[in-house]
Amino acid sequence: MKKRIAVLFSAAVVFSMLPGTLLALFRPGPEANVSPRNLTFAERVAYQRAIEEVYWRHRIWPEERLDQKPPLDSVMSHAQ
């Protein structure tokens, strides 16, 4: 009987904490003090290229391949 009461009490404590925890997950955070900026097409292309370079550097080269991973420029040209 005491074990049931302890289990029920524990469940009640957990369920009473859940709504506050769930609400905290969906509460909007503090507003960032960032002004919106429009990028030019050339800036967007340059930033995308930088992102692709980071992806390529972190991409794991398969061990089955005996050749070394080529530089990004040989796989994707600047024109692409």
Side-chain angles (χ1 to χ4, degrees):
M1 182 69 174
K2 288 183 181 181
K3 192 173 187 177
R4 281 188 191 171
I5 292 173
V7 169
L8 287 175
F9 180 74
S10 298
V13 169
V14 168
F15 285 119
S16 70
M17 292 173 13
L18 259 173
T21 304
L22 290 175
L23 285 176
L25 291 174
F26 297 107
R27 188 175 305 139
E31 291 292 325
N33 198 8
V34 178
S35 62
R37 178 175 178 253
N38 293 329
L39 299 175
T40 65
F41 182 73
E43 288 173 327
R44 292 183 69 164
V45 169
Y47 291 142
Q48 185 63 43
R49 178 68 183 194
I51 291 169
E52 295 298 334
E53 287 175 0
V54 171
Y55 285 159
W56 185 250
R57 275 196 312 260
H58 290 276
R59 185 164 289 136
I60 297 172
W61 198 245
E63 290 180 12
E64 300 84 32
R65 303 252 339 230
L66 299 177
D67 57 334
Q68 290 187 348
K69 181 168 63 170
L72 181 61
D73 290 336
S74 67
V75 177
M76 184 177 84
S77 69
H78 282 278
Q80 289 175 326

